Amino acid sequence: MNLLFRALLLLGLTAYSFAAPAVDSVRWCNKSPQEQRKCEALKAATGHFTCLEKKDTLQCIEAIKNGMADAITLDGGDIYEASLTNHDLHPIIAEDYGETTSDTCYYAVAVVKKGSGFSFRDLKGKKSCHTGLGKSAGWNIAIGTLLSEKILEWDGPETEQIETAVSRFFSASCVPGAAKDLYPKLCELCVNCARSHSEPYYDYEGAFKCLKDGKGEVAFVKHLTVKDANPSDYELLCKDGSRKELSDYLSCYLGRVPGHAVVTRSDKDLAHKIWQHLEAAKSTFPNLFKSSEYGGKNLMFKDSTKKLVLAPDNMNAYLYLGAEYMHIIQALKKKEPSSTPTDPVKWCAVGKKETEKCDAWSINTCTTTECDKGKIKCISAVSVDDCIEKIMKKEADAVAMDGGYVYRAGQCGLVPVMAENYDEEACSSSAPAQGSYYAVAVVKKDSPLTWDSLQGTKSCHTGLGRTAGWNIPMGTLKRTVIKDCDFTKFFSQSCVPGANKTSSLCSLCAGDKKTTIGGDHSKCLENDSESYYGYAGALRCLIEGGDVAFVKHTTVFDNTEGRNIPTWAKGYKPSDFKLLCYNSVRKTASPSEYKECNLARVPAHAVMTRPESRDVVVSLLKEQQTQFGSSQTDADAFKLFKSETKDLLFKDSTKCLTEVRAGTTVKDFLGREYYDSVTGLSACLPSELQQACTFHTCKLT
């Protein structure tokens, strides 16, 4: 019995060694026998992959979510599905289709046979071929374009599902993945309507085959699908009603969308392991982007892929696909949050103190003593970047921010709609000029420092990427002294909230001085839990141990004059400080001489929102500043531009908000000189959000 037991145990362990994947391997999920064959060849060539075959994309998404598999390459529409709460997968590696330069996007096109004699606007009643339900080029962009061009009529998800409207529009279709029993016309041209390679007309090559075989009259694919097609047999339908050659896709396409991406669970280590194994596979498996030897096309990766590109660690589906494409997907899938904000407008507040002021604002917008909601709803965030992302996702609607953040928000598709103005006289004008302020360098009155002797001193900054506190002084130093991107070697110590906590750029920060527990946790955070964050925080840093503070021209006066003087500034007067002059005959000047002694004149802070939300946000703020703005004289009333602690929601020096002309871009608002300066500086220390927002070279239009 003992020998039998040992034999069975050995047999079991041997079987397990064959069944269980190696700890270091990546488990790839495949949707067809052809893909499985290619995956097995990859496994044999590298030893770092195991292969799992599932029926379709959704089953693979489920397998990855449940830990049975690790990765699969998905189309944009499927990336959205995989990102939903019940799956929570993230795009980590993008396909790159560039021949000579990087290009992680492709063009969605409508292909027809030459001589078929109809235009894009004449598609009603025609037979259509689609790559698959919910896929980018074949469904989301195709149907989204028909809707936006008002060619396809649909009253929206409240009335009927989009599949019903499409069934009514085309006479017959092949839409792999459509519910055959509910929408028989959408599967009429298919063989089995499966959303996998078991359907001959599935995916790009399948949709094009559907057209070639004479089943359909139009195929919605990507431009690379027809790259090798006979140009004398096919052409493109353009949105303007014309037809063009297959090679003219740059001027005849429906949309330009992010390419396919490898997705996995939210696990940084797993993501990097997948990347490392795929990179290593290039030397041992030359067929990574070829499929013909395995009985199909576009297996595991698109055959048009030239290389793979690793996405930033913080990448998610929203940042990968972009706000506009997400808007299309959500609209078609009946999951679209309201595009334009309605009462209450969701205002983003950074940190605890801002949230408290925002809550007071919200309460004061109530029209009754016991209202359940005011005109403002407060959304709490941990940083301005967090606000930008929340606004992109429609979890928030608006926030006021510094010009450096305005630049970053613009990279993510937001627009300036209202600007702070610090000139009372200008605010009384019928057409006030755009607000601006001066960036200054402040030292204590008895300091021997000049602009030229700052190296090796202790510096205080409002925050990483902010205008007066970082972009202007460090941009100037980079042009004239530092020359490279290593900012840690200029100052001996700094407090730059938002910088790497382990670097000297954070060594001077104090964290939350109001608590004895968690100070280190708060240290160098980009919100008011860091005592040296913002304009007032940078001045406090100077008072409590720094040598120079980079702030705006009103900061000294805001904190040392008037009734609302913070405890840490008690006893200080404006005359206890002086300014360091740059490019001036004078070396220093009093704080009141900022117009002659400054680092730069820069654009005011701005309210940023989504383009489609502009009018609602502008209307609300015009109404709110009439009620709670600088004209409010009641000492006990809520004041939009005053804070218990400084500069919450808006700068305390704000006299009014002025409307930014519709259509103004971030570059227009910031001015070319400042915009170009920030572009160069941000390349040194780009934020994770900026890297994610600018990952793709394309923007959907």
Side-chain angles (χ1 to χ4, degrees):
M1 289 292 290
N2 189 41
L3 288 173
L4 179 59
F5 175 78
R6 289 172 61 189
L8 289 172
L9 179 62
L10 181 61
L11 182 62
L13 289 173
T14 303
Y16 179 81
S17 68
F18 283 106
V23 174
D24 193 42
S25 72
V26 171
R27 296 167 297 175
W28 203 273
C29 196
N30 304 291
K31 308 184 298 291
S32 68
Q34 299 98 310
E35 275 198 338
Q36 187 74 359
R37 280 197 292 275
K38 180 175 179 179
C39 182
E40 291 291 350
L42 173 64
K43 173 185 175 182
T46 66
H48 289 300
F49 291 86
T50 56
C51 309
L52 176 70
E53 184 180 348
K54 289 290 182 180
K55 178 183 174 184
D56 55 29
T57 301
L58 184 57
Q59 285 193 5
C60 276
I61 291 173
E62 289 284 346
I64 297 170
K65 169 202 154 187
N66 295 328
M68 296 171 57
D70 296 321
I72 187 176
T73 308
L74 297 180
D75 153 276
D78 292 327
I79 290 171
Y80 169 79
E81 283 294 332
S83 74
L84 297 178
T85 306
N86 56 327
H87 297 126
D88 193 30
L89 304 188
H90 293 243
I92 59 166
I93 299 166
E95 293 182 343
D96 192 314
Y97 314 109
E99 294 283 353
T100 55
T101 59
S102 178
D103 192 355
T104 56
C105 302
Y106 60 85
Y107 295 87
V109 295
V111 184
V112 293
K113 289 184 177 178
K114 277 194 173 178
S116 47
F118 55 86
S119 72
F120 188 73
R121 306 198 72 84
D122 300 325
L123 283 177
K124 187 173 183 178
K126 299 296 185 289
K127 297 176 182 178
S128 60
C129 305
H130 307 256
T131 57
L133 184 69
K135 291 178 77 72
S136 294
W139 183 262
N140 295 334
I141 298 302
I143 304 306
T145 304
L146 288 170
L147 288 170
S148 64
E149 296 289 321
K150 295 182 170 46
I151 300 170
L152 168 61
E153 294 180 0
W154 184 44
D155 292 331
E158 298 81 10
T159 305
E160 62 181 358
Q161 293 197 339
I162 186 62
E163 290 94 326
T164 303
V166 176
S167 295
R168 191 169 57 245
F169 183 79
F170 292 113
S171 61
S173 303
C174 178
V175 186
K180 194 185 303 185
D181 52 339
L182 295 176
Y183 312 106
K185 286 179 67 178
L186 297 186
C187 291
E188 191 173 321
L189 305 182
C190 297
V191 175
N192 57 41
C193 213
R195 203 171 181 274
S196 72
H197 291 103
S198 65
E199 165 56 59
Y201 298 146
Y202 168 69
D203 209 3
Y204 300 107
E205 297 298 331
F208 187 46
K209 177 176 169 58
C210 169
L211 173 68
K212 286 194 293 187
D213 290 352
K215 295 280 188 176
E217 297 167 274
V218 59
F220 298 105
V221 293
K222 67 177 182 178
H223 72 287
L224 296 165
T225 307
V226 293
K227 180 182 175 184
D228 298 323
N230 190 337
S232 62
D233 293 337
Y234 303 96
E235 53 192 348
L236 304 177
L237 295 184
C238 311
K239 289 189 286 186
D240 64 4
S242 65
R243 287 186 172 213
K244 289 191 176 179
E245 297 295 322
L246 297 181
S247 58
D248 289 335
Y249 59 85
L250 290 176
S251 60
C252 182
Y253 62 92
L254 308 184
R256 195 174 186 206
V257 293
H260 294 207
V262 177
V263 302
T264 190
R265 297 179 294 283
S266 182
D267 181 334
K268 187 186 298 186
D269 292 338
L270 176 59
H272 282 268
K273 181 173 81 169
I274 295 168
W275 167 252
Q276 288 163 3
H277 288 339
L278 286 172
E279 279 291 279
K282 291 189 300 187
S283 60
T284 56
F285 188 65
N287 284 350
L288 194 60
F289 309 134
K290 298 176 183 176
S291 305
S292 57
E293 291 185 22
Y294 312 102
K297 291 191 175 183
N298 302 320
L299 303 177
M300 298 182 67
F301 297 96
K302 297 295 154 267
D303 294 347
S304 51
T305 305
K306 302 302 179 187
K307 64 180 178 180
L308 300 175
V309 183
L310 181 65
D313 286 338
N314 68 322
M315 186 66 81
N316 58 42
Y318 208 102
L319 296 174
Y320 186 87
L321 297 174
E324 194 167 352
Y325 185 37
M326 286 291 282
H327 174 81
I328 292 171
I329 296 174
Q330 290 169 333
L332 294 178
K333 292 179 178 291
K334 306 190 302 178
K335 294 170 181 171
E336 166 69 350
S338 175
S339 295
T340 56
T342 55
D343 287 347
V345 167
K346 299 187 288 294
W347 199 270
C348 196
V350 179
K352 181 181 177 182
K353 294 168 189 172
E354 275 207 349
T355 302
E356 289 172 355
K357 180 180 176 181
C358 186
D359 288 338
W361 182 16
S362 177
I363 291 169
N364 276 275
T365 62
C366 293
T367 54
T368 63
T369 55
E370 294 185 7
C371 67
D372 58 349
K373 67 175 184 178
K375 294 186 177 181
I376 294 290
K377 180 180 179 181
C378 302
I379 306 298
S380 184
V382 297
S383 66
V384 177
D385 275 6
D386 190 20
C387 278
I388 294 171
E389 194 165 344
K390 287 181 186 298
I391 294 170
M392 290 173 66
K393 293 180 178 179
K394 303 190 175 97
E395 294 171 4
D397 296 318
V399 67
M401 61 180 70
D402 168 272
Y405 292 136
V406 167
Y407 172 86
R408 195 177 299 170
Q411 300 286 295
C412 295
L414 305 189
V415 295
V417 295
M418 294 285 276
E420 294 179 349
N421 201 307
Y422 315 109
D423 185 338
E424 201 156 1
E425 188 176 328
C427 286
S428 60
S429 167
S430 58
Q434 180 178 313
S436 63
Y437 62 92
Y438 294 90
V440 296
V442 180
V443 296
K444 290 180 181 177
K445 178 180 64 176
D446 56 357
S447 172
L449 292 174
T450 66
W451 179 261
D452 296 323
S453 63
L454 283 177
Q455 189 159 2
T457 60
K458 293 180 285 187
S459 62
C460 305
H461 307 254
T462 57
L464 185 68
R466 291 185 60 158
T467 301
W470 182 262
N471 293 339
I472 294 301
M474 301 314 290
T476 303
L477 289 171
K478 184 176 183 297
R479 286 196 310 274
T480 58
V481 182
I482 300 175
K483 300 297 184 183
D484 59 23
C485 289
D486 187 1
F487 298 114
T488 62
K489 64 187 180 186
F490 186 80
F491 294 110
S492 62
Q493 282 186 286
S494 302
C495 180
V496 188
N500 186 329
K501 287 187 178 186
T502 62
S503 77
S504 64
L505 297 180
C506 287
S507 59
L508 197 59
C509 291
D512 189 347
K513 286 202 166 192
K514 287 188 175 180
T515 177
T516 57
I517 301 173
D520 286 342
H521 175 72
S522 303
K523 187 173 181 177
C524 214
L525 291 182
E526 264 184 302
N527 62 44
D528 54 28
S529 63
E530 165 55 62
S531 299
Y532 296 162
Y533 172 71
Y535 297 112
L539 185 64
R540 181 179 182 178
C541 168
L542 171 66
I543 288 174
E544 296 181 347
D547 296 318
V548 60
F550 300 107
V551 291
K552 65 186 290 189
H553 70 279
T554 65
T555 302
V556 169
F557 303 100
D558 291 342
N559 291 277
T560 59
E561 289 185 333
R563 293 176 300 171
N564 191 22
I565 298 175
T567 305
W568 49 265
K570 295 289 185 185
Y572 282 90
K573 306 181 295 296
S575 58
D576 292 323
F577 303 93
K578 62 183 179 182
L579 307 180
L580 302 184
C581 307
Y582 172 70
N583 267 358
S584 170
V585 175
R586 303 170 66 184
K587 296 295 185 182
T588 63
S590 72
S592 61
E593 297 176 293
Y594 57 83
K595 288 186 179 180
E596 295 77 37
C597 180
N598 61 70
L599 306 184
R601 188 173 183 176
V602 294
H605 290 208
V607 175
M608 301 292 287
T609 187
R610 299 178 300 278
E612 71 271 16
S613 306
R614 179 192 183 279
D615 293 345
V616 173
V617 173
V618 168
S619 177
L620 171 90
L621 289 175
K622 284 183 175 180
E623 172 198 290
Q624 292 297 297
Q625 75 170 343
T626 298
Q627 189 172 358
F628 303 119
S630 54
S631 62
Q632 175 59 262
T633 57
D634 184 348
D636 297 323
F638 174 78
K639 295 180 178 62
L640 202 54
F641 308 136
K642 293 297 174 187
S643 311
E644 186 176 334
T645 57
K646 299 293 180 179
D647 301 328
L648 302 179
L649 301 179
F650 301 95
K651 299 295 149 256
D652 289 357
S653 52
T654 304
K655 303 304 179 186
C656 68
L657 298 173
T658 55
E659 182 176 352
V660 176
R661 179 177 51 83
T664 300
T665 65
V666 163
K667 182 181 279 191
D668 294 335
F669 178 81
L670 295 177
R672 177 176 292 277
E673 185 177 355
Y674 179 59
Y675 184 92
D676 291 344
S677 175
V678 179
T679 300
L681 191 61
S682 67
C684 286
L685 291 171
S687 73
E688 286 187 348
L689 178 64
Q690 183 179 329
Q691 287 178 303
C693 286
T694 57
F695 179 71
H696 292 297
T697 55
C698 69
K699 290 188 183 294
L700 181 61
T701 57

